[in-house]
Each structure stands twice: as structure tokens, then as C-alpha cells.
Amino acid sequence: KAGVTQTPRYLIKTRGQQVTLSCSPISGHRSVSWYQQTPGQGLQFLFEYFSETQRNKGNFPGRFSGRQFSNSRSEMNVSTLELGDSALYLCASSLAGDIKAFFGQGTRLTVV
Amino acid sequence: DAKTTQPNSMESNEEEPVHLPCNHSTISGTDYIHWYRQLPSQGPEYVIHGLTSNVNNRMASLAIAEDRKSSTLILHRATLRDAAVYYCILRYNNNDMRFGAGTRLTVKP
């Protein structure tokens, strides 16, 4: 069974640009969550999607958004990139109602 | 949100048991106690979870205090591959996990 797949693995963007990251959950998993990890703030919850609906949202500005498709694949978008958005972005998936989450290897975003 | 407190770092010798403590004095009755670990250059990995009773699986054991205000993750025989950051998280049936700083475990050969 394939694990959680995140693409791309590495990305370099310029301040002011926007970026879209993709997450393919484990087959059959309907819940997808996104996290930002930085050395200073650690792992922070961004949002969770379940059956194409945002179910929870962390404390991030509106520049951070996401969506989930009918096949449970999810994308997150960051607009008007700032240097502080440089981070490892992690995606986690789980079965509906299951409290065990599986994480991908992340996308390393560098904003220059 | 209920918070957890863990030591910043711990050291262990290879093949010895490791006890990683976690304090969660504001835990509510419906919060599960979860442990995840993050190896270098990897996403977090589920280790174990429990509610009230002690739990065992192939990776580790979880000992939960009777008042549930603290718990201990037990690695029975640490290996070099167990070197990671270990996170103790309180969670109620959703994927909004609030990670703390975790405990960085160093395993010495």
C-alpha cells in the first residue's frame, strides 16, 4: 500500500509569488491535514479537510488556503509569499474516524 | 487546548530501556494521549496511543498515570534507529494535532 505522497519535494520561490503544494493520501483515507514545520515554531497545524470540506483550521493568515478533491487528494496554496513562509510543509492522512495519522515526507519550500 | 510538557532532550545507551516522560495536567476526559516520533528528514511517524489503560505494541509501551495527568513512553531496548524527536500530543478524534517541542532522544552506541 503506497504511503502519503507529497509533491514536489523541494521548491524555491521568490517573495510575492504564490505556490501550490500537492498531497495524495493513502488509498481509502478521506481526511487530509496540513502542517508547517519551522525551526523556530516547530510543527504547527494549518488545516484539515474531510470529504472535500474544511473541518478545522489553525491560526494562519488567509494567504494560506487549501482544498480537497473528490478523490481525497489535497492541495494547499500560499499566496504573496514571504521569507517567513520558508518551511517544511507536511501532509497527513487518516481513515474517516481513525485517530492514527500517516505523514508524508513533506515539501521543503524556500522563499528567496 | 490542553498542553503537554516534555524534557527538551534525553540520552540513552544502545540496547537499554528508555523512559520518555510527558506531563499533561489539563487533560480532559475525552483526550487520547498520542506519541509520534520524527526521524531526521522524515515526516512524523505514529508510535502509540492510549486513553486510560497502559498499552503495548511492537514499537513501544505507553504507561498512563492513574489520574491521567502524566504518561511515559517506554522503548524497551533502544537502537540507533530510535534516535528521533518524540512528541506527546493530546488529541480528541480529529486530525488537529497540536505538537509541542518534543524530546530529542540521542542513542549512544
Side-chain angles (χ1 to χ4, degrees), chain B residues 70-81:
Chain B
S70 66
S71 61
T72 302
L73 178 71
I74 303 164
L75 306 179
H76 296 285
R77 288 183 67 214
T79 69
L80 297 178
R81 287 175 295 179

Side-chain angles (χ1 to χ4, degrees), chain B residues 24-83:
Chain B
H24 28 78
S25 58
T26 59
I27 190 171
S28 72
T30 50
D31 283 336
Y32 283 82
I33 301 159
H34 282 244
W35 284 82
Y36 280 74
R37 71 179 185 181
Q38 188 171 21
L39 281 65
S41 303
Q42 301 285 326
E45 173 188 32
Y46 168 85
V47 177
I48 200 165
H49 76 276
L51 186 62
T52 56
S53 304
N54 295 343
V55 184
N56 299 296
N57 67 20
R58 64 173 182 81
M59 287 181 72
S61 295
L62 177 60
I64 302 172
E66 199 168 330
D67 63 6
R68 299 206 333 123
K69 293 186 176 182
S70 66
S71 61
T72 302
L73 178 71
I74 303 164
L75 306 179
H76 296 285
R77 288 183 67 214
T79 69
L80 297 178
R81 287 175 295 179
D82 291 323

Side-chain angles (χ1 to χ4, degrees), chain A residues 36 46-47 57 60-66 76-79 85 89:
Chain A
Q36 181 196 64
L46 279 157
F47 29 66
K57 190 178 193 311
F60 277 81
R63 300 185 297 107
F64 292 81
S65 63
M76 68 162 281
N77 184 78
V78 188
S79 62
D85 296 332
Y89 289 88

Side-chain angles (χ1 to χ4, degrees), chain A residues 77-99:
Chain A
N77 184 78
V78 188
S79 62
T80 320
L81 283 165
E82 300 176 1
L83 295 179
D85 296 332
S86 295
L88 179 67
Y89 289 88
L90 290 157
C91 163
S93 77
S94 65
L95 284 167
D98 190 5
I99 56 177

